[in-house]
Amino acid sequence: MESVFIALGALIAITIFGILAQRAPSFPFPIILVLGGLLVSLIPDAPQIRLDPAVFFILFLPPLLFADGWLMNLRDFKAARRPILLLSIGLVIFTTLAVGWIMHMLFSDLPMSVCFALGAVISPTDAVAVSAITERLKVPHRIVTILNGESLVNDASGLVAFKFAVAATLTGTFHLMDVGFSFLWLSAGGICIGLIVAFFIHKLRSKILTDPNSLHHITISLLTPFAAYIPADALGVSGVLSAVAAGLYGGWADPLSMSPQTRMRAWYVWEMFLFWFNGLVFFLLGMQLRAVLGNLRDTMSWSELIGYAALVGVVTIVARMVWVFPGAYLPRWISRKIRETEPPLPWQNVFIVSWAGMRGAVTLAAALSIPVLLPDGSAFPGRELVIFLAFGVILITLLFNGLSLPWLIRKLCIRDDGMLDVEEKNARILGARAALLSIEDAVAKMEVNDFYIRSILDEYRDRIHSLEGDEVLRQTAGARMERYRHLRKAAIRAERETAVQLYRDSIINDDVLRRIQNDIDFEEARLGK
């Protein structure tokens, strides 16, 4: 029963902190949750909740990665694959070596493999943290694509490096060729399983579920990330990349096969689902402070712990900057094709990419998964220190980098390039033209021209004029469309109030009210805000 109250308390807490985040838009939601969890963990009688790595990797990670993959634009991901791979593989290796070398300089009594384990565990950025912070920032779309793509892929490379560093500590042996082969096997195997699972689930839904509005579609979409992650993990390949690959496939296939009602319902369900899971992840992350400090307070002073954490955090941030700038410009200087095919690269954009290296719960969960004992029964060397330093890097990158990122974007005058708005405008124009031609063809065959037909034609002509006409036509069409929306919303509001009043007067029942409200809600959603 106590665990039920703790879970309910956590949901209440993330709701409260979510409301605070809305009132303080300059503070990203994940950071407020981490700070809230830190404060709660310092309350003397607060329950001590430990983040179980097994539960996190199976319960929380798959849906969060699947959702990020689903929302990732596959076309833009492919266009930015070179910088994404440079960051998700090259930077992971570079960070692992840099942090491992510094750790060995600081703690010469620790095995080199343990030092590299820390470097590997803090090398990948966190997909959930990065996407949650960048979604509020008005920056060029390519920056967001690179950051989100990096964070989706580098979990696999970081966890592979971490796995071999831990294995080297346990066995006392290390083979570089094994690392390279295993990375290729884990990555390729995970991607293949994710694509296969997503493909068969998509076919299953289209063949078996004949009702396009069935809630079973949404239920299956919620289960898909687990169907991709669990078998991949059981087969010893990357469950992370399997969930990401399934999300990428779903993001490409689902919008083309779902009915409008199912798409809207699925989006609402996933929004609530992700709010809970994101909130719980960051809140529980903040609550780990007391548990992480528990076994270190007697071995080191507060000043030593803070100093070591700050140093490792600085090395992590600097290593990213040292890698990102040459990685961004050297290929352009070497290859003429890159210069001609890729957009210009202002140094301000490169700096933002180098600064936005936030770590999150994946790093801590991996650190907590370090074995307690070696095969001979002795304690795993430096385990608690590695966990604390990993936790320190998470806090530093979230609080320092994450909080300063919006300020830096404003100071560097980085703005959204508007490419998505241009694409949307062009697509709307082409769609409206196609609709207009279709209606005109239908009218010609019907050989009628009454008021209702003329009003439909006028609506689409106004839509085209408001998007691409000259200034006078845009203003006239825009004003006419605004009056139309105002009148339709007033009419819809009257319909809704009448239906509610009929329900309250017991003239109609609940089912009739819901059906009427559903139609009214769709109509109002079509009109927009």
Side-chain angles (χ1 to χ4, degrees):
M1 184 62 71
E2 181 182 0
S3 59
V4 174
F5 285 116
I6 291 175
L8 291 174
L11 289 176
I12 292 171
I14 64 174
T15 302
I16 293 172
F17 290 123
I19 295 171
L20 292 176
Q22 287 182 333
R23 295 181 176 274
S26 58
F27 281 77
F29 183 47
I31 293 176
I32 290 181
L33 286 171
V34 170
L35 291 174
L38 285 171
L39 292 175
V40 172
S41 72
L42 296 176
I43 299 174
D45 296 328
Q48 187 170 338
I49 304 175
R50 291 183 178 273
L51 186 65
D52 188 333
V55 172
F56 175 80
F57 281 119
I58 293 179
L59 181 61
F60 288 97
L61 195 59
L64 295 176
L65 292 175
F66 177 87
D68 285 332
W70 199 94
L71 294 172
M72 173 64 67
N73 188 298
L74 189 58
R75 182 202 65 182
D76 295 341
F77 183 88
K78 290 170 63 178
R81 61 185 179 275
R82 183 187 58 80
I84 288 174
L85 291 177
L86 278 174
L87 292 171
S88 58
I89 298 177
L91 179 56
V92 165
I93 297 172
F94 183 70
T95 304
T96 299
L97 296 175
V99 173
W101 179 74
I102 291 295
M103 272 291 290
H104 191 64
M105 296 286 290
L106 293 174
F107 305 98
S108 57
D109 56 328
L110 282 181
M112 198 69 183
S113 56
V114 175
C115 299
F116 284 136
L118 174 63
V121 83
I122 64 176
S123 59
T125 54
D126 187 78
V128 181
V130 171
S131 61
I133 291 175
T134 56
E135 67 180 358
R136 292 189 177 188
L137 305 178
K138 297 296 182 180
V139 296
H141 182 66
R142 185 173 173 84
I143 291 180
V144 177
T145 300
I146 291 173
L147 290 175
N148 290 342
E150 173 204 3
S151 61
L152 287 175
V153 178
N154 65 9
D155 280 340
S157 53
L159 292 176
V160 168
F162 170 71
K163 171 186 174 182
F164 276 91
V166 172
T169 306
L170 294 174
T171 62
T173 60
F174 176 80
H175 300 287
L176 186 59
M177 290 296 294
D178 290 343
V179 176
F181 175 77
S182 294
F183 175 72
L184 293 176
W185 160 246
L186 292 173
S187 302
I191 292 172
C192 289
I193 289 177
L195 293 176
I196 291 170
V197 168
F199 173 79
F200 278 105
I201 287 179
H202 178 73
K203 292 297 181 183
L204 175 73
R205 289 162 61 182
S206 61
K207 296 292 184 182
I208 296 179
L209 300 180
T210 56
D211 180 8
N213 301 323
S214 173
L215 292 177
H216 296 104
H217 283 277
I218 302 174
T219 304
I220 291 175
S221 74
L222 292 174
L223 295 175
T224 300
F226 302 102
Y229 183 93
I230 293 175
D233 188 61
L235 292 173
V237 296
S238 176
V240 169
L241 286 181
S242 181
V244 171
L248 287 170
Y249 184 90
W252 169 76
D254 289 348
L256 304 177
S257 59
M258 284 185 175
S259 68
Q261 294 88 344
T262 301
R263 277 198 301 271
M264 292 185 69
R265 290 173 180 171
W267 182 247
Y268 294 146
V269 171
W270 268 97
E271 273 194 314
M272 179 60 69
F273 192 72
L274 293 176
F275 172 76
W276 287 343
F277 271 48
N278 275 319
L280 286 172
V281 165
F282 287 104
F283 184 71
L284 292 176
L285 177 61
M287 289 197 68
Q288 302 308 300
L289 177 62
R290 195 165 65 182
V292 169
L293 288 176
N295 297 322
L296 282 174
R297 284 180 294 188
D298 297 332
T299 59
M300 293 185 185
S301 66
W302 277 98
S303 59
E304 288 178 313
L305 290 173
I306 294 173
Y308 288 137
L311 179 59
V312 174
V314 169
V315 170
T316 304
I317 295 170
V318 171
R320 182 178 179 87
M321 300 181 75
V322 169
W323 178 268
V324 166
F325 274 90
Y329 288 111
L330 279 177
R332 298 178 70 89
W333 292 337
I334 296 171
S335 172
R336 180 180 177 182
K337 181 180 178 181
I338 293 176
R339 292 195 300 271
E340 293 176 348
T341 57
E342 294 188 2
L345 201 60
W347 70 267
Q348 295 93 331
N349 293 10
V350 179
F351 180 81
I352 291 302
V353 171
S354 71
W355 193 254
M358 284 75 70
R359 273 65 176 176
V362 173
T363 291
L364 185 59
L368 289 171
S369 68
I370 295 175
V372 177
L373 299 175
L374 295 175
D376 61 4
S378 59
F380 192 99
R383 180 180 186 273
E384 301 301 331
L385 180 61
V386 169
I387 294 172
F388 172 78
L389 293 178
F391 187 79
V393 171
I394 293 170
L395 290 184
I396 291 170
T397 55
L398 274 179
L399 300 181
F400 183 57
N401 296 63
L403 284 177
S404 61
L405 198 57
W407 178 82
L408 285 170
I409 289 171
R410 290 194 300 270
K411 286 297 180 181
L412 295 175
C413 298
I414 297 175
R415 296 180 179 87
D416 188 355
D417 53 15
M419 292 303 297
L420 292 184
D421 295 334
V422 173
E423 288 185 11
E424 180 183 355
K425 177 182 175 181
N426 292 336
R428 288 184 182 276
I429 291 173
L430 293 174
R433 283 177 177 172
L436 188 60
L437 288 174
S438 175
I439 296 170
E440 289 174 342
D441 290 342
V443 170
K445 294 176 182 178
M446 294 167 61
E447 297 183 353
V448 294
N449 188 19
D450 58 21
F451 169 78
Y452 295 105
I453 292 174
R454 289 195 301 273
S455 66
I456 294 174
L457 291 170
D458 288 340
E459 178 184 349
Y460 278 98
R461 288 177 183 132
D462 282 344
R463 190 176 299 180
I464 294 172
H465 290 154
S466 68
L467 291 169
E468 69 168 3
D470 59 33
E471 188 61 31
V472 175
L473 283 175
R474 279 202 301 270
Q475 290 183 357
T476 304
R480 198 155 43 228
M481 291 175 65
E482 185 59 35
R483 288 195 297 269
Y484 171 78
R485 277 195 292 266
H486 177 75
L487 292 174
R488 283 295 299 135
K489 287 183 178 181
I492 287 171
R493 188 162 54 250
E495 286 186 73
R496 180 181 285 110
E497 291 173 354
T498 301
V500 171
Q501 189 60 49
L502 290 172
Y503 169 73
R504 289 174 176 170
D505 294 340
S506 298
I507 298 175
I508 61 176
N509 66 9
D510 304 64
D511 291 334
V512 174
L513 176 66
R514 277 192 290 269
R515 288 201 295 268
I516 294 174
Q517 283 183 324
N518 188 55
D519 292 340
I520 292 173
D521 289 343
F522 280 124
E523 177 65 19
E524 190 168 27
R526 191 184 73 84
L527 292 172
K529 296 182 179 179

Coordinates of all heavy atoms in Angstrom, one line a residue, residues 25-66:
P25 N 8.2 29.9 -18.1 CA 8.6 29.3 -19.3 C 10.1 29.3 -19.6 O 10.5 28.5 -20.4 CB 7.8 30.2 -20.4 CG 7.5 31.5 -19.7 CD 7.3 31.1 -18.2
S26 N 10.8 30.2 -18.9 CA 12.3 30.2 -19.1 C 12.9 29.0 -18.4 O 14.1 28.8 -18.7 CB 12.8 31.5 -18.6 OG 12.6 31.7 -17.2
F27 N 12.2 28.4 -17.5 CA 12.8 27.2 -16.9 C 12.2 25.9 -17.5 O 11.0 25.7 -17.4 CB 12.4 27.2 -15.4 CG 13.3 28.0 -14.6 CD1 13.1 29.4 -14.6 CD2 14.3 27.5 -13.8 CE1 13.9 30.2 -13.8 CE2 15.2 28.3 -13.0 CZ 15.0 29.7 -13.1
P28 N 13.0 25.2 -18.3 CA 12.4 24.0 -18.9 C 11.8 23.0 -17.9 O 12.3 22.9 -16.7 CB 13.6 23.3 -19.6 CG 14.6 24.5 -19.8 CD 14.4 25.4 -18.6
F29 N 10.7 22.3 -18.3 CA 10.0 21.4 -17.4 C 10.9 20.4 -16.8 O 10.8 20.1 -15.6 CB 8.9 20.7 -18.3 CG 8.0 19.8 -17.5 CD1 7.5 20.2 -16.3 CD2 7.7 18.6 -18.0 CE1 6.7 19.3 -15.6 CE2 6.9 17.7 -17.3 CZ 6.3 18.1 -16.1
P30 N 11.8 19.7 -17.5 CA 12.7 18.7 -16.9 C 13.5 19.3 -15.7 O 13.7 18.6 -14.7 CB 13.6 18.2 -18.0 CG 12.9 18.5 -19.2 CD 12.1 19.8 -19.0
I31 N 14.0 20.5 -15.9 CA 14.9 21.1 -14.9 C 14.1 21.4 -13.6 O 14.5 21.1 -12.5 CB 15.5 22.4 -15.4 CG1 16.5 22.0 -16.5 CG2 16.3 23.1 -14.3 CD1 17.2 23.2 -17.2
I32 N 12.9 21.9 -13.8 CA 12.0 22.1 -12.6 C 11.7 20.8 -11.9 O 11.7 20.7 -10.6 CB 10.7 22.8 -13.0 CG1 11.0 24.3 -13.4 CG2 9.7 22.8 -11.9 CD1 9.8 25.1 -13.9
L33 N 11.5 19.7 -12.6 CA 11.2 18.4 -12.0 C 12.4 17.9 -11.2 O 12.3 17.4 -10.1 CB 10.8 17.4 -13.0 CG 9.3 17.6 -13.6 CD1 9.1 16.7 -14.8 CD2 8.3 17.3 -12.5
V34 N 13.6 18.0 -11.8 CA 14.8 17.6 -11.2 C 15.0 18.4 -9.9 O 15.4 17.8 -8.8 CB 16.0 17.7 -12.1 CG1 17.3 17.5 -11.3 CG2 15.9 16.7 -13.2
L35 N 14.9 19.7 -9.9 CA 15.0 20.5 -8.7 C 14.0 20.1 -7.7 O 14.3 20.1 -6.5 CB 14.9 22.0 -9.1 CG 16.1 22.6 -9.9 CD1 15.8 24.0 -10.3 CD2 17.4 22.5 -9.1
G36 N 12.8 19.9 -8.2 CA 11.7 19.5 -7.2 C 12.0 18.1 -6.6 O 11.9 18.0 -5.3
G37 N 12.5 17.2 -7.3 CA 13.0 15.9 -6.8 C 14.1 16.0 -5.8 O 14.1 15.4 -4.7
L38 N 15.1 16.9 -6.1 CA 16.2 17.2 -5.2 C 15.7 17.7 -3.8 O 16.1 17.3 -2.8 CB 17.1 18.2 -5.8 CG 18.1 17.7 -6.9 CD1 18.8 18.8 -7.6 CD2 19.1 16.7 -6.3
L39 N 14.7 18.7 -3.9 CA 14.2 19.3 -2.7 C 13.4 18.2 -1.9 O 13.6 18.2 -0.6 CB 13.3 20.5 -3.0 CG 14.0 21.7 -3.6 CD1 12.9 22.7 -4.1 CD2 14.9 22.3 -2.7
V40 N 12.6 17.4 -2.6 CA 11.9 16.4 -1.8 C 12.8 15.4 -1.2 O 12.6 14.9 0.0 CB 10.9 15.7 -2.8 CG1 10.2 14.5 -2.1 CG2 9.8 16.7 -3.3
S41 N 13.9 15.0 -1.9 CA 14.8 14.1 -1.3 C 15.5 14.5 -0.1 O 16.0 13.7 0.7 CB 15.9 13.7 -2.4 OG 16.8 14.7 -2.6
L42 N 15.6 15.9 0.1 CA 16.3 16.4 1.3 C 15.4 16.6 2.5 O 15.9 16.9 3.6 CB 16.9 17.8 0.9 CG 18.0 17.8 -0.2 CD1 18.4 19.3 -0.5 CD2 19.2 17.0 0.3
I43 N 14.1 16.3 2.3 CA 13.2 16.3 3.4 C 13.5 15.1 4.3 O 13.6 14.0 3.8 CB 11.7 16.3 3.0 CG1 11.4 17.5 2.1 CG2 10.7 16.2 4.2 CD1 10.0 17.5 1.5
P44 N 13.7 15.3 5.6 CA 14.2 14.2 6.5 C 13.3 13.0 6.4 O 13.8 11.9 6.4 CB 14.2 14.9 7.9 CG 14.3 16.3 7.6 CD 13.6 16.6 6.4
D45 N 12.0 13.1 6.5 CA 11.1 11.9 6.5 C 10.6 11.5 5.2 O 9.7 10.7 5.1 CB 9.9 12.2 7.5 CG 10.4 12.4 8.9 OD1 11.4 11.8 9.3 OD2 9.8 13.2 9.6
A46 N 11.1 12.1 4.1 CA 10.6 11.7 2.8 C 11.0 10.3 2.5 O 12.1 9.9 2.8 CB 11.2 12.7 1.7
P47 N 10.2 9.6 1.8 CA 10.5 8.2 1.4 C 11.7 8.2 0.4 O 11.8 9.0 -0.4 CB 9.3 7.6 0.7 CG 8.5 8.9 0.2 CD 8.8 9.9 1.3
Q48 N 12.6 7.2 0.6 CA 13.8 7.1 -0.2 C 13.5 6.2 -1.4 O 13.3 5.0 -1.2 CB 15.0 6.6 0.6 CG 16.3 6.6 -0.2 CD 17.5 6.3 0.7 OE1 17.4 6.5 1.9 NE2 18.5 5.9 0.1
I49 N 13.4 6.7 -2.6 CA 13.0 5.9 -3.8 C 14.3 5.7 -4.6 O 15.0 6.7 -5.0 CB 12.0 6.7 -4.6 CG1 10.7 7.0 -3.8 CG2 11.6 5.8 -5.8 CD1 9.7 7.8 -4.5
R50 N 14.6 4.5 -4.8 CA 15.8 4.2 -5.6 C 15.4 3.9 -7.1 O 14.4 3.2 -7.3 CB 16.6 3.0 -5.0 CG 17.2 3.3 -3.7 CD 18.0 2.1 -3.2 NE 18.7 2.4 -2.0 CZ 19.9 2.9 -1.9 NH1 20.6 3.2 -3.0 NH2 20.5 3.1 -0.7
L51 N 16.1 4.4 -8.0 CA 15.8 4.2 -9.4 C 16.4 2.8 -9.8 O 17.6 2.6 -9.9 CB 16.5 5.3 -10.3 CG 16.2 5.3 -11.8 CD1 14.7 5.5 -12.0 CD2 17.0 6.3 -12.5
D52 N 15.5 1.9 -10.0 CA 15.9 0.5 -10.4 C 16.3 0.5 -11.8 O 15.4 0.7 -12.7 CB 14.8 -0.5 -10.1 CG 15.2 -1.9 -10.3 OD1 16.1 -2.2 -11.0 OD2 14.6 -2.8 -9.6
P53 N 17.6 0.2 -12.2 CA 18.0 0.2 -13.6 C 17.1 -0.7 -14.5 O 16.8 -0.4 -15.6 CB 19.4 -0.2 -13.6 CG 19.9 0.1 -12.2 CD 18.7 -0.1 -11.3
A54 N 16.8 -1.9 -14.0 CA 16.1 -2.9 -14.8 C 14.7 -2.4 -15.1 O 14.2 -2.4 -16.2 CB 16.0 -4.2 -14.0
V55 N 14.0 -1.8 -14.1 CA 12.7 -1.2 -14.3 C 12.7 0.0 -15.3 O 11.9 0.1 -16.2 CB 12.1 -0.8 -12.9 CG1 10.8 0.0 -13.2 CG2 11.8 -2.0 -12.0
F56 N 13.8 0.8 -15.1 CA 13.9 2.0 -16.0 C 14.1 1.6 -17.4 O 13.4 2.1 -18.3 CB 15.1 2.9 -15.5 CG 15.3 4.0 -16.5 CD1 14.5 5.2 -16.4 CD2 16.3 4.0 -17.4 CE1 14.7 6.2 -17.2 CE2 16.5 5.0 -18.3 CZ 15.8 6.2 -18.2
F57 N 15.0 0.6 -17.7 CA 15.3 0.3 -19.0 C 14.2 -0.5 -19.7 O 14.0 -0.4 -20.9 CB 16.6 -0.6 -19.1 CG 17.8 0.1 -19.0 CD1 18.7 -0.1 -17.9 CD2 18.2 1.1 -19.9 CE1 19.9 0.7 -17.8 CE2 19.4 1.8 -19.8 CZ 20.2 1.6 -18.8
I58 N 13.3 -1.2 -19.0 CA 12.2 -1.9 -19.6 C 10.9 -1.1 -19.6 O 10.2 -1.1 -20.6 CB 12.0 -3.3 -18.9 CG1 13.2 -4.2 -19.1 CG2 10.7 -3.9 -19.3 CD1 13.1 -5.5 -18.4
L59 N 10.6 -0.4 -18.5 CA 9.3 0.3 -18.4 C 9.4 1.7 -19.0 O 8.5 2.1 -19.7 CB 8.9 0.4 -16.9 CG 7.6 1.0 -16.6 CD1 6.4 0.3 -17.3 CD2 7.3 1.1 -15.1
F60 N 10.4 2.5 -18.7 CA 10.4 3.9 -19.0 C 11.0 4.2 -20.4 O 10.5 5.0 -21.2 CB 11.1 4.8 -18.0 CG 10.3 4.9 -16.7 CD1 10.6 4.1 -15.6 CD2 9.3 5.9 -16.6 CE1 9.8 4.2 -14.4 CE2 8.6 6.0 -15.4 CZ 8.9 5.2 -14.3
L61 N 12.2 3.6 -20.6 CA 13.0 3.9 -21.8 C 12.3 3.6 -23.1 O 12.3 4.5 -24.0 CB 14.4 3.2 -21.7 CG 15.5 3.8 -22.6 CD1 15.7 5.2 -22.4 CD2 16.7 3.0 -22.4
P62 N 11.7 2.4 -23.3 CA 11.2 2.1 -24.7 C 10.1 3.1 -25.2 O 10.3 3.6 -26.3 CB 10.6 0.7 -24.5 CG 11.4 0.1 -23.4 CD 11.7 1.2 -22.5
P63 N 9.1 3.4 -24.4 CA 8.1 4.4 -24.9 C 8.6 5.8 -25.2 O 8.2 6.4 -26.1 CB 7.0 4.4 -23.9 CG 7.6 3.9 -22.6 CD 8.7 3.0 -23.0
L64 N 9.6 6.2 -24.3 CA 10.1 7.6 -24.5 C 11.0 7.6 -25.8 O 10.9 8.6 -26.5 CB 10.9 8.0 -23.3 CG 10.2 8.1 -22.0 CD1 11.1 8.4 -20.8 CD2 9.1 9.2 -22.1
L65 N 11.8 6.6 -26.0 CA 12.6 6.6 -27.2 C 11.7 6.4 -28.5 O 12.0 7.0 -29.5 CB 13.7 5.5 -27.1 CG 14.8 5.7 -26.1 CD1 15.7 4.5 -26.0 CD2 15.6 6.9 -26.4
F66 N 10.7 5.5 -28.3 CA 9.8 5.3 -29.5 C 9.1 6.6 -29.9 O 9.0 6.9 -31.1 CB 8.8 4.2 -29.1 CG 7.8 3.9 -30.1 CD1 8.0 3.0 -31.1 CD2 6.5 4.6 -30.1 CE1 7.0 2.8 -32.1 CE2 5.6 4.4 -31.1 CZ 5.8 3.4 -32.1

